[in-house]
Amino acid sequence: NVDNNNAYGLLLLRRGAVRESEQFFRCAVDTIISRNPNPYKSEPYYNLALSLFLQGRYDEAYDLFYKCTWNDQWKSVAFFYLARIDSIRKNYEQALEHVDESLISNSRNNHAWNLKAAVLRKTGRMQLAHETVTYVLNADPLDYGAMNEQRLCIQSAGKQKSADNISGSLKDCLSRDVTNYLALAEEYMNAGMFEEVCDILEFALETEKWNNDPMIHYYLGYCEYRFGHKKEAVKLIKRAGKLPSDFCFPNRLKSIDVLKLAQELNPDDARAPYYLGNLFYDKKRYDSAIEYWEKSRCLDNTFPTVHRNLAIAYYNKKGDAEKARVAMEAAFALNTNDARVFFELDQLYKKQGKSPEERLKMLNDHLALVEQRDDLYLERVMLYNLQGNYRKAAELLATRHFHPWEGGEGKVTGQYVLSHVQLGREYLGNGDYVKTIDELKEAQVYPENLGEGKLTGTRENNIHYYLACAYEEMGEDEMAGFHLNKAVEGDYSPSMSMYYYDKASDMIFYQGQALLKMGKEKEARSKFNKLIDYGQAHLFDKVSIDYFAISLPDFLVFDEDLDTRNKINCHYLMGLGYLGLRELKKARDKFCKVLELDVNHIQSRVYLSLMDRVKEKEEVLIF
């Protein structure tokens, strides 16, 4: 019970639900002191104190931090927070005593050393402050908190030239990421040193890169408000709301307080709730994120990104595909030059079963956007393959240099192989065996422009099967036998292909086809029945992803229904099994079922198209 309450309280705390976390920490504390007023475990005490500190309830937090100091595990950090509260109260002598106690327990806490230097500087003991930061910088020359204290100490001593030299080094250190400035500002905020906060934020504004960063201005407005300068605070907050939102994604807990104050002081600001929505979505507080994004949309209906974010939240977290579609269409309508949103809109249409013909028309109507992204370009290729225009797909693949991207592994090469194999199959059906062999051999070699090489162990049973058919028709029995033996190689078991390197289960079908051609009907039927048995046994499985740092073969903007995906795979494999057994009606039913679940399933369309060309009582010769 103690561990559960403490852990859930921590989860809420990390997600920015600071007030909600308090009750769980209190439950944990009540349990551990029910039989012992000085319990062995002090973590719930510390977490409760931290929750109260973040709520600004310093008197209550102070007593609880003191309670933690008897336990060596929490002694250092508890004394450190006591020193921060002392500094907030401007009780600097007490702050020095407590920070020294903290450093006795953990002398490597640079935050504590920097706080000590700041307090020494505030009390006029410049020499001691300078010695303190020198000690820190000797241990860590890139500690920007110590560098800033060194700059302030030297400025106070009137040595402006030396201070300017340190300022240059400090900017080099801080300017890589605006979060560095905000983190340093929060260090001073937590000690109640708002003059230093304003100083470091204004220092950030001197850098051209961060002069127009909204969060710097929001934080400055927050500080001015704490100084009692409400008019200046409102001015800064209004400016922040008008700055470009590009690359601004706040994720710090303190930013919640800053942005909520911005809303309060400037209720017409549409960007503050937008940033809060981003922050809460990052913290997995999805209902709050949607609430703030909807508020932002009400204040400014012309901002495309808030519509786009709402579309993703509606689909992934609310399961409302229709609201997602309306929001994503609004996002694209507001900026028809945004290739990313266009790609996401197409992916949403794909999820919702929009016909391939409509999707292809939309892509062809926006070719300039399609050319900007490999993933969009590949969707156009896939749609041509889906419609059976394999030559066009192959031509498109040949005229672009692709670059690998997260979630796209194996997709470009997959479409390349598909287009050339199907072209080869068409030539085979038309009796042009030389061109059949050329196309199939081309499918076995991945050109450099695809951006990927062939994985070791890639299954090519289908290619060898078609090559065997072509050589047999040409009367080259030796080559036909060679490729037929290649086509039956491998001891495969059906499975659900989840990752890009997974072995394709449909190669079992081509093993069976090759075995039939070799006259081994019993073994062939065993292969086909294996596909049917797997599909029947796993059709109602509940599927979950268990992976670490492995890319799925899809760019998952919108969540995948893995159970539906499993059903598609099972119906497809059963369709192959029935096709191999020549039970054509059952095979057709299964492939049609696949297309009901996923209108974009290329292979099911391929086999249905082949079956449509065969009269009802005729033997199916080539698949």
Side-chain angles (χ1 to χ4, degrees):
N1 185 46
V2 172
D3 289 340
N4 287 343
N5 280 311
N6 185 62
Y8 192 66
L10 270 175
L11 180 68
L12 292 173
L13 189 69
R14 289 165 181 160
R15 290 181 175 179
V18 180
R19 291 180 183 174
E20 293 86 342
S21 71
E22 179 186 343
Q23 61 175 313
F24 292 96
F25 294 137
R26 288 199 183 277
C27 285
V29 168
D30 289 343
T31 303
I32 62 174
I33 65 173
S34 59
R35 291 181 176 83
N36 183 356
N38 296 303
Y40 175 78
K41 182 177 287 190
S42 291
E43 184 181 356
Y45 266 120
Y46 171 76
N47 290 333
L48 176 58
L50 181 60
S51 174
L52 294 169
F53 178 86
L54 293 174
Q55 294 178 56
R57 293 156 63 182
Y58 301 123
D59 291 343
E60 296 171 78
Y62 200 81
D63 293 338
L64 287 166
F65 280 129
Y66 247 122
K67 187 71 175 176
C68 298
T69 60
W70 73 274
N71 186 307
D72 193 61
Q73 183 180 2
W74 300 98
K75 185 175 184 179
S76 175
V77 69
F79 272 121
F80 176 56
Y81 270 93
L82 286 170
R84 280 179 161 179
I85 296 173
D86 290 327
S87 178
I88 289 169
R89 294 169 172 172
K90 301 195 183 304
N91 188 351
Y92 295 126
E93 296 305 321
Q94 188 69 54
L96 285 173
E97 288 183 24
H98 283 144
V99 79
D100 282 339
E101 289 288 345
S102 175
L103 289 168
I104 288 170
S105 298
N106 179 12
S107 63
R108 293 186 179 275
N109 183 357
N110 283 7
H111 295 293
W113 283 110
N114 293 338
L115 176 60
K116 180 176 181 178
V119 172
L120 288 169
R121 175 178 52 77
K122 297 284 277 188
T123 55
R125 286 170 269 193
M126 297 300 176
Q127 183 60 35
L128 286 174
H130 184 74
E131 290 173 3
T132 301
V133 294
T134 301
Y135 170 80
V136 176
L137 290 171
N138 285 338
D140 183 1
L142 297 179
D143 188 303
Y144 47 76
M147 292 172 70
N148 188 59
E149 274 303 313
Q150 187 181 51
R151 175 179 71 93
L152 294 175
C153 284
I154 292 174
Q155 275 183 349
S156 299
K159 300 177 181 178
Q160 192 57 47
K161 187 173 181 180
S162 298
D164 289 342
N165 290 334
I166 295 172
S167 295
S169 300
L170 182 59
K171 280 183 180 177
D172 290 341
C173 189
L174 287 171
S175 292
R176 297 167 188 167
D177 192 334
V178 70
T179 305
N180 293 334
Y181 286 103
L182 300 181
L184 182 53
E186 287 180 18
E187 283 293 308
Y188 287 115
M189 278 186 188
N190 288 330
M193 299 180 182
F194 284 93
E195 289 181 1
E196 285 79 0
V197 175
C198 288
D199 177 78
I200 195 64
L201 293 174
E202 287 168 358
F203 187 66
L205 294 180
E206 294 175 9
T207 306
E208 184 179 353
K209 186 177 181 181
W210 306 121
N211 188 44
N212 289 322
D213 184 84
M215 291 309 298
I216 296 291
H217 290 81
Y218 278 125
Y219 269 69
L220 268 172
Y222 180 84
C223 290
E224 290 294 342
Y225 184 79
R226 292 295 298 265
F227 278 129
H229 306 155
K230 185 175 179 180
K231 188 177 289 187
E232 184 62 27
V234 170
K235 182 179 177 182
L236 284 162
I237 287 168
K238 284 185 175 180
R239 172 167 166 70
K242 295 176 182 178
L243 291 173
S245 60
D246 301 346
F247 310 110
C248 181
F249 199 102
N251 63 351
R252 306 182 66 81
L253 294 185
K254 190 64 182 178
S255 298
I256 297 173
D257 295 335
V258 172
L259 291 167
K260 283 185 174 180
L261 178 67
Q263 272 198 297
E264 182 183 327
L265 296 181
N266 183 21
D268 295 329
D269 180 10
R271 292 298 180 270
Y274 161 71
Y275 296 131
L276 276 169
N278 291 352
L279 194 155
F280 283 129
Y281 199 85
D282 172 61
K283 303 302 180 188
K284 303 185 187 298
R285 293 173 60 183
Y286 304 117
D287 289 340
S288 296
I290 291 171
E291 178 186 341
Y292 279 106
W293 281 334
E294 287 178 339
K295 184 173 183 179
S296 174
R297 182 178 61 182
C298 287
L299 290 167
D300 180 7
N301 197 39
T302 64
F303 184 37
T305 308
V306 77
H307 291 278
R308 177 255 181 190
N309 290 1
L310 278 169
I312 294 173
Y314 287 148
Y315 189 93
N316 291 346
K317 306 307 172 186
K318 293 296 186 181
D320 195 330
E322 181 58 24
K323 287 181 77 172
R325 180 189 63 78
V326 172
M328 191 62 80
E329 286 177 345
F332 183 62
L334 288 166
N335 183 5
T336 55
N337 295 316
D338 192 326
R340 181 188 69 170
V341 172
F342 183 59
F343 169 73
E344 291 168 349
L345 177 61
D346 177 65
Q347 291 299 294
L348 186 56
Y349 285 154
K350 187 176 181 179
K351 292 278 185 185
Q352 294 179 330
K354 198 177 187 73
S355 74
E357 292 74 21
E358 289 179 281
R359 288 180 55 219
L360 183 57
K361 182 181 183 307
M362 184 178 77
L363 294 182
N364 285 334
D365 288 343
H366 296 86
L367 282 179
L369 296 179
V370 171
E371 291 287 343
Q372 290 180 30
R373 295 178 63 102
D374 281 350
D375 47 15
L376 256 177
Y377 190 93
L378 185 62
E379 285 296 325
R380 185 166 175 244
V381 171
M382 292 168 69
L383 287 167
Y384 277 116
N385 272 333
L386 198 60
Q387 294 183 3
N389 193 344
Y390 307 117
R391 177 57 63 194
K392 178 68 173 179
E395 289 172 358
L396 288 172
L397 287 167
T399 56
R400 184 180 182 90
H401 186 88
F402 292 88
H403 302 83
W405 72 91
E406 187 80 15
E409 298 90 339
K411 294 181 77 172
V412 178
T413 54
Q415 292 304 308
Y416 171 81
V417 171
L418 174 71
S419 59
H420 285 287
V421 167
Q422 292 308 315
L423 283 169
R425 186 202 54 74
E426 288 183 353
Y427 284 130
L428 181 61
N430 294 331
D432 194 337
Y433 307 121
V434 173
K435 286 187 177 179
T436 298
I437 293 169
D438 289 342
E439 289 291 346
L440 294 172
K441 287 188 173 180
E442 196 167 347
Q444 291 183 299
V445 180
Y446 299 173
E448 189 175 339
N449 71 291
L450 299 185
E452 286 186 67
K454 186 190 294 187
L455 293 176
T456 302
T458 298
R459 295 180 178 180
E460 296 181 331
N461 302 75
N462 57 337
I463 296 176
H464 288 295
Y465 171 70
Y466 288 134
L467 282 169
C469 293
Y471 281 119
E472 182 183 52
E473 293 296 329
M474 294 173 68
E476 297 187 26
D477 294 339
E478 186 177 341
M479 289 299 294
F482 171 80
H483 286 287
L484 212 53
N485 287 325
K486 283 283 187 182
V488 299
E489 283 184 0
D491 184 16
Y492 306 145
S493 296
S495 64
M496 179 178 174
S497 296
M498 184 74 75
Y499 308 109
Y500 71 95
Y501 52 76
D502 285 342
K503 308 304 181 185
S505 298
D506 51 4
M507 293 299 108
I508 297 172
F509 170 77
Y510 288 97
Q511 286 183 311
Q513 289 295 108
L515 288 166
L516 280 178
K517 189 170 280 293
M518 296 168 75
K520 300 178 180 180
E521 184 174 346
K522 185 177 179 180
E523 292 179 45
R525 292 180 70 86
S526 175
K527 295 288 184 183
F528 300 138
N529 283 320
K530 184 186 286 190
L531 293 170
I532 296 169
D533 292 343
Y534 175 87
Q536 291 174 340
H538 296 277
L539 184 60
F540 301 104
D541 284 358
K542 297 294 180 184
V543 183
S544 60
I545 299 174
D546 181 20
Y547 72 100
F548 178 76
I550 298 294
S551 292
L552 290 172
D554 288 305
F555 184 46
L556 296 180
V557 180
F558 300 101
D559 288 347
E560 181 83 18
D561 186 338
L562 295 178
D563 292 340
T564 299
R565 183 168 167 177
N566 174 63
K567 285 183 173 64
I568 291 168
N569 183 60
C570 289
H571 284 299
Y572 171 59
L573 295 183
M574 284 190 282
L576 288 177
Y578 288 127
L579 185 59
L581 295 173
R582 303 303 190 262
E583 297 183 31
L584 302 186
K585 185 178 184 307
K586 289 184 178 180
R588 180 179 294 278
D589 289 344
K590 289 300 177 183
F591 291 138
C592 288
K593 184 63 178 175
V594 170
L595 293 177
E596 285 177 22
L597 296 171
D598 180 9
V599 71
N600 299 290
H601 198 277
I602 295 178
Q603 294 291 359
S604 292
R605 283 178 174 262
V606 167
Y607 292 117
L608 282 172
S609 175
L610 289 170
M611 292 169 67
D612 287 340
R613 298 180 190 180
V614 179
K615 294 180 181 179
E616 187 173 352
K617 293 185 179 179
E618 231 176 89
E619 185 73 8
V620 179
L621 297 175
I622 296 174
F623 298 106

